[in-house]
Amino acid sequence: MIYEYITASGTKQIEVSEEWYEILTEFDRKEKNNNHTERRRHSTLDNDIADAEWLIYEDDNLYRLLSENNDIERVRETLSKMKPQHREILIAIYIKGVTQQEYAKKLGVNQSNVSRRLATAKKSFCKFFSKTA
């Protein structure tokens, strides 16, 4: 049987037995599946931000807390006690309405990094906020 394989310099054909043809074909199938799995695992979201909508996480309780006027002094006091980078990300995203992707571009990092920073900032905010009660 004629087995065709692809190299960096082009396609090659060799004569092999039926047994070897089946073995090589099975190896090709496994390699294709492994490559597909790897590409899927390492795909980037930078190409089409519209497909990344599912990454947006809204915390209604924190958003409401930051936007209501009745606790504004308590919120200001809490923000003043926080690390500057935590304060900045909370203000940018929850008060100014900057998206995580926009904030990531500003910092020169990826969106998942901003998401982790935001989660840390929210925990810090909640910790300080509960102490100001």
Side-chain angles (χ1 to χ4, degrees), residues 40-56 101 105 110-112:
R40 200 174 42 162
R41 187 177 314 153
H42 298 290
S43 65
T44 179
L45 296 174
D46 294 336
N47 296 337
D48 189 0
I49 199 63
D51 289 342
E53 291 290 324
W54 61 273
L55 288 173
I56 298 172
Q101 190 66 30
K105 282 183 182 178
N110 61 27
Q111 186 274 332
S112 62

Side-chain angles (χ1 to χ4, degrees), residues 103-110:
Y103 198 76
K105 282 183 182 178
K106 175 186 168 198
L107 296 179
V109 298
N110 61 27

Side-chain angles (χ1 to χ4, degrees), residues 68-81:
E68 288 178 355
N69 289 331
N70 56 358
D71 285 330
I72 198 70
E73 282 306 313
R74 197 168 156 210
V75 169
R76 284 186 180 142
E77 182 182 346
T78 301
L79 287 172
S80 69
K81 293 178 182 179

Side-chain angles (χ1 to χ4, degrees), residues 80-110:
S80 69
K81 293 178 182 179
M82 297 176 68
K83 291 181 181 179
Q85 63 267 27
H86 291 168
R87 180 174 50 248
E88 289 169 11
I89 194 169
L90 288 173
I91 290 171
I93 292 176
Y94 287 106
I95 296 175
K96 294 181 180 176
V98 175
T99 66
Q100 288 185 20
Q101 190 66 30
E102 291 168 341
Y103 198 76
K105 282 183 182 178
K106 175 186 168 198
L107 296 179
V109 298
N110 61 27

